[in-house]
Amino acid sequence: MSSKAHTALVELREDLDGEVFAPWDPGYDEARAVFNARVDRRPAVIARCAHAADVVRAVRFGRDLDLSIAVRGGGHSVGGMGTNDSGLVVDLRRMRRVSVDPASEAVRVEGGATTGLLDRATQPYGLATTGARDSGTGVAGFVLGGGSGWLERSCGLAADNLLGVELVTANGDRIHASADENPELFWALHGGGGNFGVATALTLKLYEVPEFSLALLLYLPEHAREAIRTYREVIDHAPLEASGAVVCRSGPPAGFAAPSLAAGGPLCCVLLTYAGPEEDLRKLAQPLLALPHASQTVVAMPYADAQRLFDQPPGLRAHGSAECLSGAPDGFVDVCCALADSLPTATGTRNMLFPLGGAVADAPADHPVPYRDAAWVVHPCGSWADPADDERCTAWVRDVRAAVRPWSTGAVHPDFVGDEGRDRVRAGLGPRNMWRLGVVKRRFDPDNVFRFNHNIKPV
Ligand SMILES: Cc1cc2nc3c(=O)[nH]c(=O)nc-3n(C[C@H](O)[C@H](O)[C@H](O)COP(=O)(O)OP(=O)(O)OC[C@H]3O[C@@H](n4cnc5c(N)ncnc54)[C@H](O)[C@@H]3O)c2cc1C
């Protein structure tokens, strides 16, 4: 380390109310770890900021030393976009305050808060907004990337509920973006991710969700085809408060093991979620309950609790990808069932199928989220412990993408994928939006300081 860098680091440690980790500091290894254990990066400096003024100081430190800058929120990017090698990580984990304003049905969430903290803060008011399906994901990374969750068919994508963003730019300036202030930047933040600065806080619209219920049914492989088709029909006729997923996986999800089921055998899980009372859900789920199934759970619970039910433990090796689909006809269902037969056994690899439609399709079409007209999203993904399983699990995810291509719209939800190259960024943000996003990028980050994301090049 040069003497200039050494002096700057000493000053940064003195100035920050938060903490600074260099590779020789205790706690560095814990601080550099992210959700996906396949990501093993060694930043030069990790600045764990306590508030927005710390973020300004950290960004200026990075600029002065010409360090590349990554922004870490919840650390759940499957591609490890919240960290880097030999650069600066602006770590927002300490910035996780959530303040609910029930009167205006809005919530202010600091840039490092997780989905779990958001849901727990809004639950006592019977309010909620579209959140990720894992309580450990960072709200900012999720929302700025579009954000898909159980409530999206009635409440829209998470980005559709963005009311304002407090941002620290590449120059270290603190600015605010909303429909009235910096409107072009505000538009770009509806899907453009962390390209334009560090979001120190977001304000999100809330909805009344006083009741929530879900049905989880597990089907043996011989009934999978019928179960997926039935779920598709149920969703086609259900109110928009209903959502859920089909998940083809080996073994039941944690906490739902039934004694009759082989531990690692292939299973088709159908989850029907409903932002409403259990008795209405039971009626909706009737066609699914009527099929032969190996286990069933139909239960009402607070939305915040449901959001934690399928949490994935951090520290495993992970990979995932996604395709948006124009529909899920019978031919597609057959392909899904065939793919389930080749699931890598004894790993947490799975293929998930989410319905879209409703408020996702109805929202303003010009947001940089190009998959509004898709009917379904297929999301093969997984987490496993043994590095020896890397190749077969990632190859299976590739195989799923290739097999579903006949039904793909060509668009992709950026949050669901890691770094899959330039064409996938265009597919994720919409080819027609790229130039406009590039112009916003040039204005707010002309040197592409924030490039550990689905990167938009300054035009
Ligand atoms: C188990 C699991 C479940 C998931 N479930 C869903 C789901 O249901 N729906 C869905 O849409 N996505 C889901 N995701 C994907 C997730 O929403 C995205 O990967 C999201 O970007 C994660 O944000 P993070 O802050 O946790 O990640 P990080 O790795 O910390 O950051 C990811 C990206 O966001 C940027 N970023 C994070 N915070 C900020 C900030 N405050 N300001 C500026 N940029 C920031 C980072 O720079 C980076 O580019 C899931 C991921 C996992 C691993």
Side-chain angles (χ1 to χ4, degrees), residues 101-116:
D101 181 357
S104 62
E105 300 199 333
V107 60
R108 181 180 177 275
V109 184
E110 283 192 340
T114 59
T115 300

Side-chain angles (χ1 to χ4, degrees), residues 35 71-78 81-82 92 111 132-134 136-138 140-142 144 147-148 194 197-199 312 413 415-416 452-453:
F35 172 83
V71 183
R72 189 206 199 274
H76 269 54
S77 153
V78 75
M81 290 178 176
L92 301 175
R133 302 171 180 88
D134 184 292
T137 51
F142 163 77
L144 299 178
S148 154
V198 185
Q312 300 294 310
H413 173 30
D415 272 349
F416 283 154
F452 296 93
N453 40 45

